Amino acid sequence: MTKTLLEIYHAAVGAVEGRAAVRQHLQQRGLHGPLTMIAIGKAAASMAQGAVDVLRDQIEIGLVITKHGHADPALPYETIEAGHPSPDAGSLHAGQRLLELIEATPPGQPFLFLISGGASALVEVLPQGMDLSQLQRATDWLLGSGLDIQQMNRVRKGLSLIKGGRLAERLVGHPVTSLMISDVPADEISAIGS
């Protein structure tokens, strides 16, 4: 019985492991031409490895944003480590680099976004008049509030210049493919990464 339970557990974990899941998806539905890859979340490095396994020569520009201690030095792309569950200065740096990279990407070049749990804290661009300490206080309050993830994300979207679809506005004119590992109930797409 224990052996069977362990086999089931390992099969379940393997099915959602970032590298394997991304690799399998891209092998079935590949992307064509040069592209820009952005990986954000606690599984960002693993997911980026899956993309490299399939699209290695197609990835012209890459950015990996992940939690402190989750980077993979084998990845040949700029990697930024940031705070989770509470954002830190790395989160704001990651947000700025993300916007700079989008702005520098040639018009029409496709983007591949790889998003996993933790993205809301790991990358942020604040509205004018708000600073990191205010964001951290708001985040700490949200984490201790008892609100569910959808309610928390409604607040996060109001404190951000990229959440709630605002990042998509900056990608107009670029084909975008997003692969996401859900960490929210019912896998609601709009709730993943706020």
Side-chain angles (χ1 to χ4, degrees):
M1 177 77 118
T2 301
K3 182 181 176 194
T4 301
L5 288 174
L6 284 172
E7 288 173 357
I8 292 169
Y9 170 78
H10 289 296
V13 170
V16 296
E17 192 272 328
R19 185 174 191 168
V22 169
R23 180 176 54 233
Q24 180 181 4
H25 178 85
L26 291 174
Q27 285 171 334
Q28 294 172 355
R29 298 177 187 92
L31 299 173
H32 303 287
L35 58 88
T36 298
M37 178 193 71
I38 308 290
I40 307 171
K42 292 179 285 185
S46 176
M47 294 176 79
Q49 283 289 8
V52 170
D53 290 344
V54 180
L55 305 172
R56 180 178 306 274
D57 296 332
Q58 293 174 248
I59 302 171
E60 287 192 342
I61 303 167
L63 177 63
V64 178
I65 302 168
T66 193
K67 181 178 178 176
H68 291 288
H70 286 62
D72 182 346
L75 284 169
Y77 308 107
E78 179 182 2
T79 299
I80 299 171
E81 293 180 283
H84 181 275
S86 188
D88 64 8
S91 307
L92 299 183
H93 172 64
Q96 191 58 44
R97 281 297 297 136
L98 175 60
L99 296 185
E100 290 169 0
L101 192 142
I102 291 169
E103 186 68 29
T105 298
Q109 179 157 309
F111 277 83
L112 171 62
F113 276 85
L114 306 170
I115 309 293
S116 61
S120 293
L122 294 169
V123 60
E124 186 57 271
V125 178
L126 295 175
Q128 190 170 5
M130 185 170 193
D131 65 24
L132 177 59
S133 66
Q134 292 169 318
L135 177 64
Q136 289 171 327
R137 283 195 306 274
T139 300
D140 291 344
W141 180 85
L142 286 169
L143 292 172
S145 69
L147 296 174
D148 67 31
I149 190 68
Q150 286 82 6
Q151 294 167 319
M152 288 175 47
N153 282 344
R154 274 195 288 279
V155 174
R156 287 173 171 161
K157 290 173 188 179
L159 303 176
S160 175
L161 293 180
I162 58 172
K163 292 177 175 57
R166 292 180 192 95
L167 185 61
E169 294 170 2
R170 296 172 183 269
L171 293 161
V172 171
H174 294 278
V176 176
T177 300
S178 296
L179 303 181
M180 300 178 221
I181 296 176
S182 175
D183 64 341
V184 297
D187 300 334
E188 183 185 335
I189 298 295
S190 66
I192 301 170
S194 298

PDB file of all heavy atoms in Angstrom, residues 107-147:
ATOM      1  N   PRO A 107       9.303  45.094 -32.824  1.00  0.00           N
ATOM      2  CA  PRO A 107       7.860  45.004 -33.079  1.00  0.00           C
ATOM      3  C   PRO A 107       7.504  43.684 -33.753  1.00  0.00           C
ATOM      4  O   PRO A 107       8.206  43.222 -34.651  1.00  0.00           O
ATOM      5  CB  PRO A 107       7.584  46.183 -34.015  1.00  0.00           C
ATOM      6  CG  PRO A 107       8.714  47.141 -33.769  1.00  0.00           C
ATOM      7  CD  PRO A 107       9.899  46.286 -33.407  1.00  0.00           C
ATOM      8  N   GLY A 108       6.441  43.078 -33.276  1.00  0.00           N
ATOM      9  CA  GLY A 108       5.944  41.840 -33.891  1.00  0.00           C
ATOM     10  C   GLY A 108       6.618  40.577 -33.407  1.00  0.00           C
ATOM     11  O   GLY A 108       6.147  39.480 -33.715  1.00  0.00           O
ATOM     12  N   GLN A 109       7.738  40.699 -32.679  1.00  0.00           N
ATOM     13  CA  GLN A 109       8.405  39.482 -32.201  1.00  0.00           C
ATOM     14  C   GLN A 109       7.534  38.802 -31.149  1.00  0.00           C
ATOM     15  O   GLN A 109       7.061  39.441 -30.224  1.00  0.00           O
ATOM     16  CB  GLN A 109       9.782  39.787 -31.613  1.00  0.00           C
ATOM     17  CG  GLN A 109      10.477  38.521 -31.094  1.00  0.00           C
ATOM     18  CD  GLN A 109      11.970  38.663 -31.021  1.00  0.00           C
ATOM     19  OE1 GLN A 109      12.599  39.063 -31.999  1.00  0.00           O
ATOM     20  NE2 GLN A 109      12.555  38.344 -29.891  1.00  0.00           N
ATOM     21  N   PRO A 110       7.336  37.487 -31.265  1.00  0.00           N
ATOM     22  CA  PRO A 110       6.501  36.775 -30.297  1.00  0.00           C
ATOM     23  C   PRO A 110       7.135  36.700 -28.910  1.00  0.00           C
ATOM     24  O   PRO A 110       8.356  36.694 -28.765  1.00  0.00           O
ATOM     25  CB  PRO A 110       6.375  35.366 -30.889  1.00  0.00           C
ATOM     26  CG  PRO A 110       6.764  35.488 -32.313  1.00  0.00           C
ATOM     27  CD  PRO A 110       7.744  36.621 -32.380  1.00  0.00           C
ATOM     28  N   PHE A 111       6.260  36.631 -27.905  1.00  0.00           N
ATOM     29  CA  PHE A 111       6.661  36.423 -26.519  1.00  0.00           C
ATOM     30  C   PHE A 111       6.143  35.069 -26.056  1.00  0.00           C
ATOM     31  O   PHE A 111       5.022  34.683 -26.386  1.00  0.00           O
ATOM     32  CB  PHE A 111       6.058  37.496 -25.599  1.00  0.00           C
ATOM     33  CG  PHE A 111       6.830  38.772 -25.555  1.00  0.00           C
ATOM     34  CD1 PHE A 111       6.643  39.742 -26.533  1.00  0.00           C
ATOM     35  CD2 PHE A 111       7.743  39.021 -24.540  1.00  0.00           C
ATOM     36  CE1 PHE A 111       7.351  40.934 -26.486  1.00  0.00           C
ATOM     37  CE2 PHE A 111       8.452  40.208 -24.488  1.00  0.00           C
ATOM     38  CZ  PHE A 111       8.252  41.170 -25.468  1.00  0.00           C
ATOM     39  N   LEU A 112       6.950  34.401 -25.271  1.00  0.00           N
ATOM     40  CA  LEU A 112       6.532  33.199 -24.552  1.00  0.00           C
ATOM     41  C   LEU A 112       6.623  33.535 -23.070  1.00  0.00           C
ATOM     42  O   LEU A 112       7.716  33.792 -22.557  1.00  0.00           O
ATOM     43  CB  LEU A 112       7.429  32.006 -24.883  1.00  0.00           C
ATOM     44  CG  LEU A 112       7.221  30.748 -24.025  1.00  0.00           C
ATOM     45  CD1 LEU A 112       5.810  30.189 -24.203  1.00  0.00           C
ATOM     46  CD2 LEU A 112       8.271  29.691 -24.358  1.00  0.00           C
ATOM     47  N   PHE A 113       5.470  33.571 -22.392  1.00  0.00           N
ATOM     48  CA  PHE A 113       5.438  33.803 -20.948  1.00  0.00           C
ATOM     49  C   PHE A 113       5.243  32.472 -20.243  1.00  0.00           C
ATOM     50  O   PHE A 113       4.364  31.680 -20.618  1.00  0.00           O
ATOM     51  CB  PHE A 113       4.291  34.755 -20.572  1.00  0.00           C
ATOM     52  CG  PHE A 113       4.643  36.199 -20.708  1.00  0.00           C
ATOM     53  CD1 PHE A 113       4.517  36.844 -21.931  1.00  0.00           C
ATOM     54  CD2 PHE A 113       5.108  36.922 -19.620  1.00  0.00           C
ATOM     55  CE1 PHE A 113       4.847  38.180 -22.066  1.00  0.00           C
ATOM     56  CE2 PHE A 113       5.441  38.258 -19.750  1.00  0.00           C
ATOM     57  CZ  PHE A 113       5.309  38.898 -20.978  1.00  0.00           C
ATOM     58  N   LEU A 114       6.061  32.230 -19.232  1.00  0.00           N
ATOM     59  CA  LEU A 114       5.978  31.031 -18.404  1.00  0.00           C
ATOM     60  C   LEU A 114       5.703  31.519 -16.985  1.00  0.00           C
ATOM     61  O   LEU A 114       6.568  32.133 -16.359  1.00  0.00           O
ATOM     62  CB  LEU A 114       7.293  30.252 -18.471  1.00  0.00           C
ATOM     63  CG  LEU A 114       7.786  29.899 -19.880  1.00  0.00           C
ATOM     64  CD1 LEU A 114       9.198  29.344 -19.845  1.00  0.00           C
ATOM     65  CD2 LEU A 114       6.830  28.937 -20.557  1.00  0.00           C
ATOM     66  N   ILE A 115       4.499  31.270 -16.483  1.00  0.00           N
ATOM     67  CA  ILE A 115       4.063  31.850 -15.215  1.00  0.00           C
ATOM     68  C   ILE A 115       3.736  30.731 -14.228  1.00  0.00           C
ATOM     69  O   ILE A 115       3.046  29.776 -14.568  1.00  0.00           O
ATOM     70  CB  ILE A 115       2.805  32.727 -15.403  1.00  0.00           C
ATOM     71  CG1 ILE A 115       2.991  33.746 -16.533  1.00  0.00           C
ATOM     72  CG2 ILE A 115       2.406  33.400 -14.090  1.00  0.00           C
ATOM     73  CD1 ILE A 115       4.014  34.803 -16.279  1.00  0.00           C
ATOM     74  N   SER A 116       4.230  30.890 -12.999  1.00  0.00           N
ATOM     75  CA  SER A 116       3.922  29.920 -11.944  1.00  0.00           C
ATOM     76  C   SER A 116       3.648  30.663 -10.649  1.00  0.00           C
ATOM     77  O   SER A 116       3.733  31.898 -10.592  1.00  0.00           O
ATOM     78  CB  SER A 116       5.077  28.923 -11.776  1.00  0.00           C
ATOM     79  OG  SER A 116       6.270  29.586 -11.404  1.00  0.00           O
ATOM     80  N   GLY A 117       3.339  29.928  -9.603  1.00  0.00           N
ATOM     81  CA  GLY A 117       3.002  30.509  -8.309  1.00  0.00           C
ATOM     82  C   GLY A 117       4.064  31.473  -7.808  1.00  0.00           C
ATOM     83  O   GLY A 117       5.257  31.271  -8.013  1.00  0.00           O
ATOM     84  N   GLY A 118       3.621  32.527  -7.165  1.00  0.00           N
ATOM     85  CA  GLY A 118       4.528  33.510  -6.606  1.00  0.00           C
ATOM     86  C   GLY A 118       4.742  34.726  -7.476  1.00  0.00           C
ATOM     87  O   GLY A 118       5.351  35.707  -7.035  1.00  0.00           O
ATOM     88  N   ALA A 119       4.231  34.706  -8.698  1.00  0.00           N
ATOM     89  CA  ALA A 119       4.479  35.806  -9.634  1.00  0.00           C
ATOM     90  C   ALA A 119       4.003  37.152  -9.088  1.00  0.00           C
ATOM     91  O   ALA A 119       4.636  38.179  -9.329  1.00  0.00           O
ATOM     92  CB  ALA A 119       3.817  35.507 -10.980  1.00  0.00           C
ATOM     93  N   SER A 120       2.905  37.159  -8.335  1.00  0.00           N
ATOM     94  CA  SER A 120       2.366  38.430  -7.822  1.00  0.00           C
ATOM     95  C   SER A 120       3.363  39.176  -6.958  1.00  0.00           C
ATOM     96  O   SER A 120       3.430  40.401  -6.993  1.00  0.00           O
ATOM     97  CB  SER A 120       1.095  38.171  -7.008  1.00  0.00           C
ATOM     98  OG  SER A 120       0.070  37.710  -7.833  1.00  0.00           O
ATOM     99  N   ALA A 121       4.147  38.463  -6.162  1.00  0.00           N
ATOM    100  CA  ALA A 121       5.120  39.111  -5.284  1.00  0.00           C
ATOM    101  C   ALA A 121       6.456  39.342  -5.978  1.00  0.00           C
ATOM    102  O   ALA A 121       7.173  40.292  -5.644  1.00  0.00           O
ATOM    103  CB  ALA A 121       5.352  38.260  -4.034  1.00  0.00           C
ATOM    104  N   LEU A 122       6.793  38.512  -6.931  1.00  0.00           N
ATOM    105  CA  LEU A 122       8.139  38.520  -7.504  1.00  0.00           C
ATOM    106  C   LEU A 122       8.399  39.643  -8.492  1.00  0.00           C
ATOM    107  O   LEU A 122       9.556  40.001  -8.731  1.00  0.00           O
ATOM    108  CB  LEU A 122       8.423  37.175  -8.175  1.00  0.00           C
ATOM    109  CG  LEU A 122       8.501  35.994  -7.216  1.00  0.00           C
ATOM    110  CD1 LEU A 122       8.507  34.679  -7.984  1.00  0.00           C
ATOM    111  CD2 LEU A 122       9.729  36.105  -6.327  1.00  0.00           C
ATOM    112  N   VAL A 123       7.353  40.177  -9.095  1.00  0.00           N
ATOM    113  CA  VAL A 123       7.542  41.244 -10.082  1.00  0.00           C
ATOM    114  C   VAL A 123       6.461  42.298  -9.881  1.00  0.00           C
ATOM    115  O   VAL A 123       5.284  41.977  -9.777  1.00  0.00           O
ATOM    116  CB  VAL A 123       7.544  40.687 -11.525  1.00  0.00           C
ATOM    117  CG1 VAL A 123       6.244  39.992 -11.875  1.00  0.00           C
ATOM    118  CG2 VAL A 123       7.868  41.760 -12.538  1.00  0.00           C
ATOM    119  N   GLU A 124       6.909  43.560  -9.804  1.00  0.00           N
ATOM    120  CA  GLU A 124       5.947  44.621  -9.537  1.00  0.00           C
ATOM    121  C   GLU A 124       6.430  45.952 -10.092  1.00  0.00           C
ATOM    122  O   GLU A 124       7.630  46.224 -10.128  1.00  0.00           O
ATOM    123  CB  GLU A 124       5.710  44.754  -8.023  1.00  0.00           C
ATOM    124  CG  GLU A 124       4.620  45.726  -7.662  1.00  0.00           C
ATOM    125  CD  GLU A 124       3.301  45.379  -8.315  1.00  0.00           C
ATOM    126  OE1 GLU A 124       3.059  45.844  -9.458  1.00  0.00           O
ATOM    127  OE2 GLU A 124       2.498  44.644  -7.708  1.00  0.00           O
ATOM    128  N   VAL A 125       5.467  46.760 -10.539  1.00  0.00           N
ATOM    129  CA  VAL A 125       5.701  48.145 -10.934  1.00  0.00           C
ATOM    130  C   VAL A 125       4.646  48.959 -10.195  1.00  0.00           C
ATOM    131  O   VAL A 125       3.446  48.741 -10.377  1.00  0.00           O
ATOM    132  CB  VAL A 125       5.575  48.341 -12.460  1.00  0.00           C
ATOM    133  CG1 VAL A 125       5.771  49.805 -12.822  1.00  0.00           C
ATOM    134  CG2 VAL A 125       6.574  47.462 -13.203  1.00  0.00           C
ATOM    135  N   LEU A 126       5.106  49.864  -9.349  1.00  0.00           N
ATOM    136  CA  LEU A 126       4.202  50.612  -8.479  1.00  0.00           C
ATOM    137  C   LEU A 126       3.726  51.912  -9.121  1.00  0.00           C
ATOM    138  O   LEU A 126       4.468  52.545  -9.880  1.00  0.00           O
ATOM    139  CB  LEU A 126       4.912  50.942  -7.161  1.00  0.00           C
ATOM    140  CG  LEU A 126       5.289  49.753  -6.292  1.00  0.00           C
ATOM    141  CD1 LEU A 126       6.098  50.218  -5.090  1.00  0.00           C
ATOM    142  CD2 LEU A 126       4.050  49.002  -5.846  1.00  0.00           C
ATOM    143  N   PRO A 127       2.513  52.318  -8.781  1.00  0.00           N
ATOM    144  CA  PRO A 127       2.043  53.626  -9.247  1.00  0.00           C
ATOM    145  C   PRO A 127       2.806  54.744  -8.562  1.00  0.00           C
ATOM    146  O   PRO A 127       3.378  54.557  -7.479  1.00  0.00           O
ATOM    147  CB  PRO A 127       0.565  53.636  -8.846  1.00  0.00           C
ATOM    148  CG  PRO A 127       0.428  52.615  -7.782  1.00  0.00           C
ATOM    149  CD  PRO A 127       1.530  51.610  -7.977  1.00  0.00           C
ATOM    150  N   GLN A 128       2.809  55.914  -9.188  1.00  0.00           N
ATOM    151  CA  GLN A 128       3.486  57.066  -8.621  1.00  0.00           C
ATOM    152  C   GLN A 128       2.904  57.377  -7.240  1.00  0.00           C
ATOM    153  O   GLN A 128       1.694  57.300  -7.034  1.00  0.00           O
ATOM    154  CB  GLN A 128       3.327  58.264  -9.541  1.00  0.00           C
ATOM    155  CG  GLN A 128       4.184  59.433  -9.151  1.00  0.00           C
ATOM    156  CD  GLN A 128       4.184  60.508 -10.224  1.00  0.00           C
ATOM    157  OE1 GLN A 128       3.471  60.427 -11.214  1.00  0.00           O
ATOM    158  NE2 GLN A 128       5.002  61.528 -10.021  1.00  0.00           N
ATOM    159  N   GLY A 129       3.773  57.676  -6.306  1.00  0.00           N
ATOM    160  CA  GLY A 129       3.342  58.016  -4.963  1.00  0.00           C
ATOM    161  C   GLY A 129       3.333  56.846  -3.997  1.00  0.00           C
ATOM    162  O   GLY A 129       3.126  57.030  -2.799  1.00  0.00           O
ATOM    163  N   MET A 130       3.553  55.635  -4.493  1.00  0.00           N
ATOM    164  CA  MET A 130       3.605  54.457  -3.623  1.00  0.00           C
ATOM    165  C   MET A 130       5.039  53.954  -3.579  1.00  0.00           C
ATOM    166  O   MET A 130       5.737  53.959  -4.589  1.00  0.00           O
ATOM    167  CB  MET A 130       2.681  53.362  -4.141  1.00  0.00           C
ATOM    168  CG  MET A 130       2.585  52.170  -3.225  1.00  0.00           C
ATOM    169  SD  MET A 130       1.274  51.068  -3.757  1.00  0.00           S
ATOM    170  CE  MET A 130       1.170  50.035  -2.312  1.00  0.00           C
ATOM    171  N   ASP A 131       5.468  53.500  -2.400  1.00  0.00           N
ATOM    172  CA  ASP A 131       6.827  52.985  -2.292  1.00  0.00           C
ATOM    173  C   ASP A 131       6.816  51.537  -1.791  1.00  0.00           C
ATOM    174  O   ASP A 131       5.766  50.990  -1.454  1.00  0.00           O
ATOM    175  CB  ASP A 131       7.710  53.877  -1.411  1.00  0.00           C
ATOM    176  CG  ASP A 131       7.271  53.927   0.046  1.00  0.00           C
ATOM    177  OD1 ASP A 131       6.607  52.984   0.533  1.00  0.00           O
ATOM    178  OD2 ASP A 131       7.610  54.915   0.718  1.00  0.00           O
ATOM    179  N   LEU A 132       8.002  50.945  -1.758  1.00  0.00           N
ATOM    180  CA  LEU A 132       8.143  49.541  -1.394  1.00  0.00           C
ATOM    181  C   LEU A 132       7.619  49.258   0.011  1.00  0.00           C
ATOM    182  O   LEU A 132       6.934  48.254   0.225  1.00  0.00           O
ATOM    183  CB  LEU A 132       9.604  49.097  -1.514  1.00  0.00           C
ATOM    184  CG  LEU A 132       9.909  47.665  -1.102  1.00  0.00           C
ATOM    185  CD1 LEU A 132       9.119  46.660  -1.935  1.00  0.00           C
ATOM    186  CD2 LEU A 132      11.410  47.392  -1.209  1.00  0.00           C
ATOM    187  N   SER A 133       7.896  50.116   0.957  1.00  0.00           N
ATOM    188  CA  SER A 133       7.448  49.846   2.328  1.00  0.00           C
ATOM    189  C   SER A 133       5.924  49.815   2.417  1.00  0.00           C
ATOM    190  O   SER A 133       5.356  48.999   3.138  1.00  0.00           O
ATOM    191  CB  SER A 133       8.033  50.860   3.310  1.00  0.00           C
ATOM    192  OG  SER A 133       7.526  52.151   3.061  1.00  0.00           O
ATOM    193  N   GLN A 134       5.247  50.680   1.665  1.00  0.00           N
ATOM    194  CA  GLN A 134       3.786  50.659   1.647  1.00  0.00           C
ATOM    195  C   GLN A 134       3.273  49.367   1.013  1.00  0.00           C
ATOM    196  O   GLN A 134       2.307  48.771   1.494  1.00  0.00           O
ATOM    197  CB  GLN A 134       3.254  51.874   0.885  1.00  0.00           C
ATOM    198  CG  GLN A 134       3.511  53.189   1.594  1.00  0.00           C
ATOM    199  CD  GLN A 134       3.226  54.381   0.703  1.00  0.00           C
ATOM    200  OE1 GLN A 134       3.574  54.387  -0.478  1.00  0.00           O
ATOM    201  NE2 GLN A 134       2.582  55.398   1.271  1.00  0.00           N
ATOM    202  N   LEU A 135       3.925  48.943  -0.081  1.00  0.00           N
ATOM    203  CA  LEU A 135       3.533  47.683  -0.728  1.00  0.00           C
ATOM    204  C   LEU A 135       3.737  46.507   0.217  1.00  0.00           C
ATOM    205  O   LEU A 135       2.882  45.614   0.316  1.00  0.00           O
ATOM    206  CB  LEU A 135       4.337  47.470  -2.013  1.00  0.00           C
ATOM    207  CG  LEU A 135       4.078  46.146  -2.741  1.00  0.00           C
ATOM    208  CD1 LEU A 135       2.638  46.067  -3.235  1.00  0.00           C
ATOM    209  CD2 LEU A 135       5.064  45.984  -3.892  1.00  0.00           C
ATOM    210  N   GLN A 136       4.841  46.494   0.935  1.00  0.00           N
ATOM    211  CA  GLN A 136       5.112  45.403   1.869  1.00  0.00           C
ATOM    212  C   GLN A 136       4.089  45.374   3.007  1.00  0.00           C
ATOM    213  O   GLN A 136       3.630  44.307   3.396  1.00  0.00           O
ATOM    214  CB  GLN A 136       6.536  45.520   2.421  1.00  0.00           C
ATOM    215  CG  GLN A 136       7.588  45.185   1.380  1.00  0.00           C
ATOM    216  CD  GLN A 136       8.999  45.492   1.834  1.00  0.00           C
ATOM    217  OE1 GLN A 136       9.245  46.440   2.577  1.00  0.00           O
ATOM    218  NE2 GLN A 136       9.951  44.693   1.356  1.00  0.00           N
ATOM    219  N   ARG A 137       3.734  46.538   3.526  1.00  0.00           N
ATOM    220  CA  ARG A 137       2.715  46.580   4.583  1.00  0.00           C
ATOM    221  C   ARG A 137       1.379  46.064   4.070  1.00  0.00           C
ATOM    222  O   ARG A 137       0.692  45.294   4.740  1.00  0.00           O
ATOM    223  CB  ARG A 137       2.571  47.996   5.144  1.00  0.00           C
ATOM    224  CG  ARG A 137       3.699  48.378   6.096  1.00  0.00           C
ATOM    225  CD  ARG A 137       3.396  49.613   6.936  1.00  0.00           C
ATOM    226  NE  ARG A 137       3.004  50.775   6.175  1.00  0.00           N
ATOM    227  CZ  ARG A 137       3.849  51.666   5.628  1.00  0.00           C
ATOM    228  NH1 ARG A 137       5.150  51.502   5.778  1.00  0.00           N
ATOM    229  NH2 ARG A 137       3.396  52.709   4.964  1.00  0.00           N
ATOM    230  N   ALA A 138       1.002  46.482   2.860  1.00  0.00           N
ATOM    231  CA  ALA A 138      -0.256  46.018   2.271  1.00  0.00           C
ATOM    232  C   ALA A 138      -0.225  44.508   2.050  1.00  0.00           C
ATOM    233  O   ALA A 138      -1.196  43.800   2.337  1.00  0.00           O
ATOM    234  CB  ALA A 138      -0.519  46.746   0.956  1.00  0.00           C
ATOM    235  N   THR A 139       0.900  43.998   1.567  1.00  0.00           N
ATOM    236  CA  THR A 139       1.043  42.561   1.322  1.00  0.00           C
ATOM    237  C   THR A 139       0.961  41.777   2.630  1.00  0.00           C
ATOM    238  O   THR A 139       0.264  40.757   2.709  1.00  0.00           O
ATOM    239  CB  THR A 139       2.360  42.259   0.597  1.00  0.00           C
ATOM    240  OG1 THR A 139       2.371  42.953  -0.650  1.00  0.00           O
ATOM    241  CG2 THR A 139       2.520  40.769   0.343  1.00  0.00           C
ATOM    242  N   ASP A 140       1.662  42.243   3.640  1.00  0.00           N
ATOM    243  CA  ASP A 140       1.629  41.560   4.936  1.00  0.00           C
ATOM    244  C   ASP A 140       0.204  41.542   5.497  1.00  0.00           C
ATOM    245  O   ASP A 140      -0.242  40.538   6.044  1.00  0.00           O
ATOM    246  CB  ASP A 140       2.589  42.226   5.924  1.00  0.00           C
ATOM    247  CG  ASP A 140       4.054  42.022   5.545  1.00  0.00           C
ATOM    248  OD1 ASP A 140       4.340  41.133   4.715  1.00  0.00           O
ATOM    249  OD2 ASP A 140       4.907  42.767   6.067  1.00  0.00           O
ATOM    250  N   TRP A 141      -0.508  42.662   5.355  1.00  0.00           N
ATOM    251  CA  TRP A 141      -1.893  42.709   5.815  1.00  0.00           C
ATOM    252  C   TRP A 141      -2.745  41.687   5.045  1.00  0.00           C
ATOM    253  O   TRP A 141      -3.520  40.936   5.636  1.00  0.00           O
ATOM    254  CB  TRP A 141      -2.483  44.114   5.662  1.00  0.00           C
ATOM    255  CG  TRP A 141      -3.905  44.155   6.137  1.00  0.00           C
ATOM    256  CD1 TRP A 141      -4.337  44.335   7.411  1.00  0.00           C
ATOM    257  CD2 TRP A 141      -5.072  43.944   5.324  1.00  0.00           C
ATOM    258  NE1 TRP A 141      -5.714  44.262   7.451  1.00  0.00           N
ATOM    259  CE2 TRP A 141      -6.190  44.026   6.187  1.00  0.00           C
ATOM    260  CE3 TRP A 141      -5.279  43.710   3.970  1.00  0.00           C
ATOM    261  CZ2 TRP A 141      -7.499  43.874   5.730  1.00  0.00           C
ATOM    262  CZ3 TRP A 141      -6.574  43.558   3.518  1.00  0.00           C
ATOM    263  CH2 TRP A 141      -7.666  43.637   4.383  1.00  0.00           C
ATOM    264  N   LEU A 142      -2.583  41.669   3.712  1.00  0.00           N
ATOM    265  CA  LEU A 142      -3.358  40.733   2.886  1.00  0.00           C
ATOM    266  C   LEU A 142      -3.082  39.284   3.287  1.00  0.00           C
ATOM    267  O   LEU A 142      -4.012  38.482   3.395  1.00  0.00           O
ATOM    268  CB  LEU A 142      -3.024  40.926   1.401  1.00  0.00           C
ATOM    269  CG  LEU A 142      -3.609  42.166   0.739  1.00  0.00           C
ATOM    270  CD1 LEU A 142      -2.983  42.380  -0.631  1.00  0.00           C
ATOM    271  CD2 LEU A 142      -5.111  42.067   0.631  1.00  0.00           C
ATOM    272  N   LEU A 143      -1.805  38.955   3.495  1.00  0.00           N
ATOM    273  CA  LEU A 143      -1.446  37.578   3.831  1.00  0.00           C
ATOM    274  C   LEU A 143      -2.029  37.143   5.173  1.00  0.00           C
ATOM    275  O   LEU A 143      -2.318  35.969   5.375  1.00  0.00           O
ATOM    276  CB  LEU A 143       0.071  37.406   3.829  1.00  0.00           C
ATOM    277  CG  LEU A 143       0.740  37.531   2.458  1.00  0.00           C
ATOM    278  CD1 LEU A 143       2.254  37.545   2.594  1.00  0.00           C
ATOM    279  CD2 LEU A 143       0.289  36.422   1.520  1.00  0.00           C
ATOM    280  N   GLY A 144      -2.221  38.076   6.087  1.00  0.00           N
ATOM    281  CA  GLY A 144      -2.772  37.737   7.394  1.00  0.00           C
ATOM    282  C   GLY A 144      -4.258  38.012   7.534  1.00  0.00           C
ATOM    283  O   GLY A 144      -4.844  37.795   8.597  1.00  0.00           O
ATOM    284  N   SER A 145      -4.892  38.457   6.443  1.00  0.00           N
ATOM    285  CA  SER A 145      -6.278  38.917   6.514  1.00  0.00           C
ATOM    286  C   SER A 145      -7.327  37.810   6.503  1.00  0.00           C
ATOM    287  O   SER A 145      -8.463  38.034   6.903  1.00  0.00           O
ATOM    288  CB  SER A 145      -6.567  39.856   5.338  1.00  0.00           C
ATOM    289  OG  SER A 145      -6.569  39.108   4.115  1.00  0.00           O
ATOM    290  N   GLY A 146      -6.960  36.650   5.997  1.00  0.00           N
ATOM    291  CA  GLY A 146      -7.954  35.590   5.837  1.00  0.00           C
ATOM    292  C   GLY A 146      -8.717  35.682   4.522  1.00  0.00           C
ATOM    293  O   GLY A 146      -9.592  34.855   4.250  1.00  0.00           O
ATOM    294  N   LEU A 147      -8.400  36.668   3.687  1.00  0.00           N
ATOM    295  CA  LEU A 147      -9.051  36.788   2.382  1.00  0.00           C
ATOM    296  C   LEU A 147      -8.616  35.631   1.482  1.00  0.00           C
ATOM    297  O   LEU A 147      -7.486  35.155   1.574  1.00  0.00           O
ATOM    298  CB  LEU A 147      -8.668  38.110   1.713  1.00  0.00           C
ATOM    299  CG  LEU A 147      -9.119  39.396   2.406  1.00  0.00           C
ATOM    300  CD1 LEU A 147      -8.522  40.610   1.697  1.00  0.00           C
ATOM    301  CD2 LEU A 147     -10.632  39.491   2.441  1.00  0.00           C
TER     302      LEU A 147
END
